[in-house]
mmCIF file of all heavy atoms in Angstrom:
data_model
loop_
_atom_site.group_PDB
_atom_site.id
_atom_site.type_symbol
_atom_site.label_atom_id
_atom_site.label_comp_id
_atom_site.label_asym_id
_atom_site.label_seq_id
_atom_site.Cartn_x
_atom_site.Cartn_y
_atom_site.Cartn_z
ATOM 1 N N SER A 25 17.028 100.627 8.216
ATOM 2 C CA SER A 25 16.978 101.917 7.551
ATOM 3 C C SER A 25 17.497 103.040 8.446
ATOM 4 O O SER A 25 17.406 104.196 8.107
ATOM 5 C CB SER A 25 15.534 102.209 7.126
ATOM 6 O OG SER A 25 14.700 102.095 8.251
ATOM 7 N N LEU A 39 1.520 104.759 13.129
ATOM 8 C CA LEU A 39 1.764 105.793 14.134
ATOM 9 C C LEU A 39 3.231 106.258 14.052
ATOM 10 O O LEU A 39 3.513 107.448 14.035
ATOM 11 C CB LEU A 39 1.436 105.227 15.519
ATOM 12 C CG LEU A 39 1.251 106.202 16.667
ATOM 13 C CD1 LEU A 39 0.332 105.613 17.727
ATOM 14 C CD2 LEU A 39 2.566 106.607 17.283
ATOM 15 N N ARG A 45 10.902 112.291 10.143
ATOM 16 C CA ARG A 45 12.004 111.322 10.093
ATOM 17 C C ARG A 45 13.139 111.616 11.078
ATOM 18 O O ARG A 45 13.754 110.703 11.602
ATOM 19 C CB ARG A 45 12.537 111.187 8.669
ATOM 20 C CG ARG A 45 13.249 112.387 8.134
ATOM 21 C CD ARG A 45 13.499 112.250 6.674
ATOM 22 N NE ARG A 45 12.251 112.311 5.929
ATOM 23 C CZ ARG A 45 12.184 112.358 4.606
ATOM 24 N NH1 ARG A 45 13.281 112.304 3.898
ATOM 25 N NH2 ARG A 45 11.035 112.471 3.997
ATOM 26 N N ARG A 50 15.751 109.226 15.927
ATOM 27 C CA ARG A 50 16.159 109.211 17.326
ATOM 28 C C ARG A 50 15.427 108.107 18.098
ATOM 29 O O ARG A 50 16.016 107.379 18.889
ATOM 30 C CB ARG A 50 15.897 110.574 17.970
ATOM 31 C CG ARG A 50 16.779 110.802 19.196
ATOM 32 C CD ARG A 50 16.390 111.997 20.023
ATOM 33 N NE ARG A 50 15.087 111.815 20.614
ATOM 34 C CZ ARG A 50 14.090 112.694 20.484
ATOM 35 N NH1 ARG A 50 14.262 113.796 19.792
ATOM 36 N NH2 ARG A 50 12.940 112.459 21.057
ATOM 37 N N TYR A 67 0.495 91.754 28.831
ATOM 38 C CA TYR A 67 0.229 92.200 30.205
ATOM 39 C C TYR A 67 -1.073 91.583 30.677
ATOM 40 O O TYR A 67 -2.000 91.393 29.896
ATOM 41 C CB TYR A 67 0.022 93.727 30.338
ATOM 42 C CG TYR A 67 0.728 94.628 29.387
ATOM 43 C CD1 TYR A 67 0.008 95.451 28.527
ATOM 44 C CD2 TYR A 67 2.122 94.721 29.376
ATOM 45 C CE1 TYR A 67 0.645 96.330 27.661
ATOM 46 C CE2 TYR A 67 2.761 95.595 28.521
ATOM 47 C CZ TYR A 67 2.025 96.393 27.655
ATOM 48 O OH TYR A 67 2.657 97.247 26.808
ATOM 49 N N LYS A 81 2.854 93.743 11.662
ATOM 50 C CA LYS A 81 1.803 92.843 11.153
ATOM 51 C C LYS A 81 1.072 92.124 12.277
ATOM 52 O O LYS A 81 0.094 91.425 12.026
ATOM 53 C CB LYS A 81 2.420 91.812 10.212
ATOM 54 C CG LYS A 81 2.883 92.411 8.903
ATOM 55 C CD LYS A 81 3.292 91.331 7.937
ATOM 56 C CE LYS A 81 3.611 91.913 6.579
ATOM 57 N NZ LYS A 81 4.799 92.782 6.617
ATOM 58 N N THR A 88 -11.082 92.841 28.700
ATOM 59 C CA THR A 88 -11.431 93.166 30.074
ATOM 60 C C THR A 88 -11.976 91.890 30.718
ATOM 61 O O THR A 88 -12.616 91.075 30.053
ATOM 62 C CB THR A 88 -12.431 94.349 30.110
ATOM 63 O OG1 THR A 88 -12.538 94.818 31.434
ATOM 64 C CG2 THR A 88 -13.791 93.982 29.595
ATOM 65 N N ALA A 95 -13.554 86.735 29.801
ATOM 66 C CA ALA A 95 -12.829 87.794 29.106
ATOM 67 C C ALA A 95 -13.635 88.268 27.908
ATOM 68 O O ALA A 95 -14.295 87.481 27.234
ATOM 69 C CB ALA A 95 -11.477 87.273 28.644
ATOM 70 N N LEU A 96 -13.584 89.570 27.658
ATOM 71 C CA LEU A 96 -14.299 90.137 26.521
ATOM 72 C C LEU A 96 -13.393 91.171 25.863
ATOM 73 O O LEU A 96 -12.799 92.009 26.543
ATOM 74 C CB LEU A 96 -15.589 90.809 27.013
ATOM 75 C CG LEU A 96 -16.431 91.515 25.944
ATOM 76 C CD1 LEU A 96 -17.012 90.504 24.960
ATOM 77 C CD2 LEU A 96 -17.567 92.292 26.609
ATOM 78 N N THR A 127 -0.109 86.608 15.010
ATOM 79 C CA THR A 127 1.353 86.505 15.029
ATOM 80 C C THR A 127 1.964 87.464 14.015
ATOM 81 O O THR A 127 1.458 87.618 12.911
ATOM 82 C CB THR A 127 1.765 85.060 14.682
ATOM 83 O OG1 THR A 127 1.327 84.206 15.725
ATOM 84 C CG2 THR A 127 3.271 84.928 14.521
ATOM 85 N N MET A 131 7.565 96.576 16.853
ATOM 86 C CA MET A 131 8.733 97.279 17.369
ATOM 87 C C MET A 131 8.465 97.537 18.848
ATOM 88 O O MET A 131 7.390 98.020 19.214
ATOM 89 C CB MET A 131 8.933 98.607 16.630
ATOM 90 C CG MET A 131 9.144 98.446 15.138
ATOM 91 S SD MET A 131 10.597 97.449 14.730
ATOM 92 C CE MET A 131 11.918 98.635 15.005
ATOM 93 N N LYS A 140 10.872 108.638 28.592
ATOM 94 C CA LYS A 140 11.841 109.711 28.319
ATOM 95 C C LYS A 140 11.587 110.302 26.922
ATOM 96 O O LYS A 140 11.510 111.519 26.753
ATOM 97 C CB LYS A 140 13.259 109.104 28.395
ATOM 98 C CG LYS A 140 14.375 110.096 28.333
ATOM 99 C CD LYS A 140 15.708 109.376 28.497
ATOM 100 C CE LYS A 140 16.692 109.938 27.483
ATOM 101 N NZ LYS A 140 17.755 109.015 27.148
ATOM 102 N N GLU A 151 0.951 112.338 17.990
ATOM 103 C CA GLU A 151 0.414 111.118 17.372
ATOM 104 C C GLU A 151 -0.251 110.211 18.405
ATOM 105 O O GLU A 151 -1.264 109.571 18.126
ATOM 106 C CB GLU A 151 1.523 110.352 16.629
ATOM 107 C CG GLU A 151 2.045 111.061 15.400
ATOM 108 C CD GLU A 151 0.937 111.488 14.447
ATOM 109 O OE1 GLU A 151 -0.009 110.710 14.228
ATOM 110 O OE2 GLU A 151 0.997 112.627 13.951
ATOM 111 N N ALA A 167 -18.410 98.892 23.605
ATOM 112 C CA ALA A 167 -19.282 98.657 24.763
ATOM 113 C C ALA A 167 -20.745 98.644 24.315
ATOM 114 O O ALA A 167 -21.514 97.749 24.675
ATOM 115 C CB ALA A 167 -19.060 99.739 25.817
ATOM 116 N N MET A 177 -23.706 90.461 13.144
ATOM 117 C CA MET A 177 -23.201 91.804 12.813
ATOM 118 C C MET A 177 -21.853 92.062 13.482
ATOM 119 O O MET A 177 -20.947 92.643 12.894
ATOM 120 C CB MET A 177 -24.194 92.863 13.311
ATOM 121 C CG MET A 177 -25.455 92.965 12.503
ATOM 122 S SD MET A 177 -26.541 94.184 13.295
ATOM 123 C CE MET A 177 -27.350 94.870 11.864
ATOM 124 N N LYS A 224 -22.144 84.206 0.969
ATOM 125 C CA LYS A 224 -20.905 84.233 0.173
ATOM 126 C C LYS A 224 -20.027 85.452 0.488
ATOM 127 O O LYS A 224 -19.349 86.006 -0.375
ATOM 128 C CB LYS A 224 -21.220 84.190 -1.331
ATOM 129 C CG LYS A 224 -21.939 82.914 -1.761
ATOM 130 C CD LYS A 224 -21.981 82.808 -3.261
ATOM 131 C CE LYS A 224 -22.497 81.494 -3.806
ATOM 132 N NZ LYS A 224 -23.237 80.621 -2.942
ATOM 133 N N LEU A 241 -19.581 92.433 3.334
ATOM 134 C CA LEU A 241 -19.335 92.283 4.766
ATOM 135 C C LEU A 241 -19.596 93.614 5.495
ATOM 136 O O LEU A 241 -20.133 93.628 6.607
ATOM 137 C CB LEU A 241 -17.883 91.825 4.978
ATOM 138 C CG LEU A 241 -17.564 91.018 6.226
ATOM 139 C CD1 LEU A 241 -18.484 89.823 6.395
ATOM 140 C CD2 LEU A 241 -16.108 90.578 6.218
ATOM 141 N N MET A 255 -13.979 107.851 12.304
ATOM 142 C CA MET A 255 -13.261 108.609 13.337
ATOM 143 C C MET A 255 -11.750 108.469 13.128
ATOM 144 O O MET A 255 -11.005 109.439 13.153
ATOM 145 C CB MET A 255 -13.654 108.028 14.705
ATOM 146 C CG MET A 255 -13.118 108.767 15.898
ATOM 147 S SD MET A 255 -14.013 110.271 16.206
ATOM 148 C CE MET A 255 -15.561 109.624 16.813
ATOM 149 N N HIS A 256 -11.316 107.255 12.872
ATOM 150 C CA HIS A 256 -9.904 106.961 12.670
ATOM 151 C C HIS A 256 -9.382 107.653 11.414
ATOM 152 O O HIS A 256 -8.351 108.326 11.424
ATOM 153 C CB HIS A 256 -9.734 105.440 12.560
ATOM 154 C CG HIS A 256 -8.327 105.013 12.366
ATOM 155 N ND1 HIS A 256 -7.787 104.797 11.123
ATOM 156 C CD2 HIS A 256 -7.334 104.766 13.247
ATOM 157 C CE1 HIS A 256 -6.517 104.437 11.255
ATOM 158 N NE2 HIS A 256 -6.222 104.406 12.528
#
Side-chain angles (χ1 to χ4, degrees):
S25 54
L39 196 153
R45 68 191 69 173
R50 203 191 65 233
Y67 330 118
K81 290 188 174 66
T88 192
L96 177 67
T127 294
M131 300 300 282
K140 188 177 137 204
E151 292 308 319
M177 287 177 147
K224 298 191 172 17
L241 207 52
M255 186 76 72
H256 181 266

